[in-house]
Structures are given as C-alpha cells and as structure tokens.
Amino acid sequence: MIVYFSGTGNSRYVAQMLADRLSDELFDAGQAVKDGAEAALHSEKPWVFVSPTYGWRIPRLFQAFLEEAVFSGSTDAYFVMTCGSEIGNAGKYLRCLCARLALTY
C-alpha cells in the first residue's frame, strides 16, 4: 500500500505514479488527518510511505499520523521523500520510527 502525505501535490503525484506502476492501492494520510479518522491499515505488499522533506525529515504531522495508525500484514517499509536537493539525515529518524512501529526499514 502506498501511504502518502502531500502539501503541494508533488508527493501525491509521485505516490500516484508508484501506485500505477506497482499496481498498488493509495491511502491519503493528509485527508485522514483532516477528517480526524483513525487509520487501521492492512497490506500484504510492502508499505511505501511518500512525503515531502521538511527540515531533512518527514513532516511532523505525517509522523504523528504514522505513530497513531495501526499497520497489519507486511512489515516491510520503504520511504520516498520528495525534495529540492537532499533529505539530509532523514534515514536515521525513519529507522527509529520504523522500530517504534514494528516495521522493517
């Protein structure tokens, strides 16, 4: 499942492109946050999280959403971060986040 957060549409575009090529479903985390919806997500395919890079990390709003969501099925997680130049040391934070979510980074 492709779970994405997009502020301007760039990450949504990338998420849609990945979903089309991987024949996978999309979940709009930004809309879920706006709706105040709790997320219990299931996927047999690896999780692919797509978001912009804010201050060399994923947006705090998206991180909070991920920390509150329940993920079942696959435990493999991949991150695709859109950015202008580089993602800095985001990998370190994503590895820690995955450990807290019981996902394999």
Side-chain angles (χ1 to χ4, degrees), residues 2 16-25 45-46 48:
I2 315 290
Q16 183 65 62
M17 189 170 38
L18 286 168
D20 292 345
R21 294 210 175 40
L22 298 172
S23 298
D24 210 343
E25 43 184 317
K45 294 182 177 182
V48 180

Side-chain angles (χ1 to χ4, degrees), residues 8-73:
T8 63
N10 292 332
S11 294
R12 178 179 58 239
Y13 174 80
V14 170
Q16 183 65 62
M17 189 170 38
L18 286 168
D20 292 345
R21 294 210 175 40
L22 298 172
S23 298
D24 210 343
E25 43 184 317
L26 277 176
F27 183 84
D28 183 349
Q31 190 61 53
V33 169
K34 287 178 188 175
D35 295 343
E38 292 183 16
L41 304 172
H42 179 83
S43 179
E44 293 302 320
K45 294 182 177 182
W47 298 98
V48 180
F49 301 107
V50 181
S51 77
T53 303
Y54 291 172
W56 291 358
R57 296 175 70 169
I58 63 173
R60 292 182 194 274
L61 187 63
F62 187 42
Q63 181 173 327
F65 169 82
L66 295 176
E67 289 173 334
E68 293 173 10
V70 176
F71 298 98
S72 63

